Amino acid sequence: MENFSYYYSVPYIIILLLFLKLSFLDTKMFGINRFYVRFISVCLFFWFFGFRGFVGSDFTSYYLFYRDLPNIAIIESSDFLNWSFEPGFILFSSIIKFFSSNYHFFVFVNTIVDTFLLVVVLKRYCNEYFVYALAVFFVFGSEFEINLVRNIKAILLFLISLNFLKERKIGLYFLVNFIGLTFHSTAIFFMPLYFFLHKSSKKIFFIVFFVGCVLYFFQIKYIGFIAGLFGETLGGVYLLKASFYLEGESSGITLAFFYILIPFILIYSNYNKLVNKNNNNIIFVNMFLLYCVANLYFTEILVFRSRFGALFVLSLCVLLPQILSLYQNKEIKRYALNFVFFILLFSKIVLTNTPLPNVYDNLTFGIMNYERRISNMNQFSEESVY
């Protein structure tokens, strides 16, 4: 099999088009009919991810982890030291293992939990455009559901905790994110956001983005020193991860910049409207700014950019539908905006899923076995820069 092919992205394109069709129906229907459309959309989402085969790259780690993990009935405290994974995730996985040792059951249950949390988030923050928000998540968040099995739970718990941030309930905010921290260590970066994520400043929004563009286009290197210092200060797993990440490659200047620039222009030009439309929107606008920071300030280290960007990219699931809603009564602008978003989503889903590890298969139709997938991974790793 070829290491890269547009053919590999076909299943993802089909699902995206189905989501977009369903999102159109979602805006036209009411009552029980709208419920059916949303139910079908959630089922489609769950089927695609919950019944997937050995897709992506991180299944290699999770397959071996789950195979060797004792179930909750026989697990011992020493078992928590055998893996580099966080204790909450190990405990969660050992409970699943009690019911079945099948890896695909493990994926199935993880997807149930993630889907439930995602539905709670989308209904709370973008219920008006629920299915469209789900489509945006499918494009920008599919990697989380496939590869970042631990991260996605910490991210979704953070999004749920935003309600406590808005209400200034610091104890509950930290409690929910502490639970997220037991699933993935990057949740520690959510803690300080309580103190400024709710504050509004269009001027700062622009300045931070402008400085990021300067760093990005001139490829100014500075993050290595800061990351090393941060890792040494926190120690433990953070020192190990910082050392690992600092050995990685840089991302350089790519066309991916347009996936930041286009949303930025739309959000900045509608900044006041978004903030005034909904009290929650300022939080997601600031989250998008942090997404820009991750992608523009961290280009020196590719893994930093992707990992930190992943923490905040889901802000687009809320903001893009909200921007669409601002042009409901402006037909020409609405059509133009829909076209721009379609190109954005379509190109993103295609380019993201051209690598060999992303070849999709589903238990419903039959999947490649583990050994074949490992063979493909080895081929891809040897011949490509992954």
Side-chain angles (χ1 to χ4, degrees):
M1 299 179 71
E2 298 179 6
N3 281 341
F4 295 90
S5 173
Y6 289 112
Y7 173 76
Y8 301 154
S9 63
V10 170
Y12 300 89
I13 294 172
I14 293 173
I15 298 299
L16 172 61
L17 294 177
L18 287 173
F19 274 131
L20 293 178
K21 176 62 177 178
L22 288 165
S23 69
F24 174 78
L25 296 175
D26 184 43
T27 60
K28 300 296 182 181
M29 294 185 175
F30 302 93
I32 192 66
N33 290 329
R34 171 178 269 193
F35 170 80
Y36 288 145
V37 168
R38 296 185 173 191
F39 180 75
I40 292 170
S41 301
V42 172
C43 288
L44 178 63
F45 178 92
F46 175 76
W47 172 81
F48 186 85
F49 291 112
F51 288 80
R52 71 182 185 271
F54 298 105
V55 181
S57 57
D58 284 12
F59 77 86
T60 53
S61 300
Y62 289 112
Y63 178 86
L64 297 176
F65 159 74
Y66 192 67
R67 183 194 66 184
D68 298 335
L69 178 70
N71 68 56
I72 188 66
I74 59 174
I75 196 170
E76 299 178 357
S77 58
S78 59
D79 291 319
F80 287 84
L81 303 177
N82 293 336
W83 294 277
S84 59
F85 296 158
E86 291 76 6
F89 181 74
I90 294 175
L91 181 64
F92 171 74
S93 301
S94 71
I95 295 173
I96 302 174
K97 187 71 175 282
F98 179 80
F99 296 97
S100 175
S101 59
N102 187 292
Y103 172 76
H104 298 294
F105 181 76
F106 170 73
V107 171
F108 180 86
V109 175
N110 270 275
T111 308
I112 289 177
V113 173
D114 297 345
T115 303
F116 173 78
L117 293 176
L118 179 62
V119 168
V120 170
V121 169
L122 296 186
K123 283 182 68 65
R124 178 178 295 173
Y125 297 114
C126 46
N127 189 51
E128 183 181 4
Y129 281 81
F130 177 86
V131 181
Y132 193 85
L134 198 61
V136 176
F137 178 90
F138 179 74
V139 172
F140 287 94
S142 58
E143 182 189 1
F144 310 152
E145 195 56 46
I146 290 174
N147 283 328
L148 309 183
V149 178
R150 288 143 50 226
N151 304 58
I152 186 59
K153 292 170 181 58
I155 293 170
L156 290 172
L157 286 171
F158 163 66
L159 293 176
I160 288 174
S161 76
L162 291 179
N163 193 52
F164 301 127
L165 184 152
K166 184 182 69 172
E167 297 176 355
R168 313 310 297 157
K169 296 180 179 179
I170 188 171
L172 291 174
Y173 176 84
F174 276 86
L175 174 62
V176 173
N177 284 292
F178 178 77
I179 295 172
L181 187 63
T182 69
F183 280 86
H184 201 271
S185 55
T186 53
I188 195 171
F189 297 107
F190 295 138
M191 303 298 187
L193 300 185
Y194 177 86
F195 301 102
F196 65 85
L197 202 61
H198 62 294
K199 297 183 178 181
S200 174
S201 175
K202 188 176 181 180
K203 183 179 180 179
I204 292 177
F205 186 79
F206 178 81
I207 291 173
V208 171
F209 182 82
F210 178 78
V211 172
C213 288
V214 173
L215 295 173
Y216 180 79
F217 284 107
F218 287 95
Q219 292 291 287
I220 299 173
K221 299 184 182 297
Y222 71 96
I223 199 68
F225 171 76
I226 297 176
L229 183 63
F230 185 79
E232 290 180 0
T233 302
L234 290 180
V237 65
Y238 299 99
L239 177 59
L240 293 174
K241 289 190 175 184
S243 301
F244 173 75
Y245 292 158
L246 289 173
E247 296 174 359
E249 59 181 316
S250 63
S251 63
I253 299 173
T254 69
L255 292 176
F257 174 73
F258 288 100
Y259 295 109
I260 305 166
L261 178 63
I262 294 173
F264 172 81
I265 293 173
L266 291 168
I267 293 169
Y268 182 75
S269 60
N270 292 284
Y271 187 96
N272 293 331
K273 292 180 181 178
L274 285 169
V275 172
N276 294 329
K277 184 178 188 294
N278 189 312
N279 292 333
N280 296 316
N281 284 346
I282 184 57
I283 295 175
F284 290 98
V285 167
N286 288 333
M287 282 177 58
F288 172 75
L289 183 60
L290 291 173
Y291 174 63
C292 293
V293 168
N295 282 277
L296 298 176
Y297 287 66
F298 294 163
T299 55
E300 182 181 342
I301 304 172
L302 179 59
V303 178
F304 260 39
R305 189 195 72 175
S306 60
R307 295 294 179 176
F308 284 104
L311 301 179
F312 307 108
V313 67
L314 297 191
S315 59
L316 292 174
C317 297
V318 175
L319 294 176
L320 295 189
Q322 290 279 354
I323 291 171
L324 273 179
S325 70
L326 295 176
Y327 295 91
Q328 279 183 334
N329 300 320
K330 301 177 181 179
E331 189 171 349
I332 295 178
K333 289 185 177 181
R334 189 177 75 251
Y335 284 136
L337 197 58
N338 271 301
F339 177 75
V340 170
F341 283 178
F342 176 78
I343 297 300
L344 193 73
L345 297 176
F346 185 85
S347 59
K348 175 71 173 175
I349 203 70
V350 170
L351 296 176
T352 301
N353 295 292
T354 55
L356 179 59
N358 286 31
V359 171
Y360 182 80
D361 53 17
N362 192 288
L363 292 170
T364 309
F365 308 111
I367 64 172
M368 279 189 275
N369 61 34
Y370 178 79
E371 290 72 22
R372 174 73 184 281
R373 282 287 190 171
I374 289 295
S375 176
N376 287 346
M377 282 289 298
N378 291 337
Q379 170 193 319
F380 185 79
S381 299
E382 291 172 2
E383 300 179 9
S384 307
V385 178
Y386 185 65

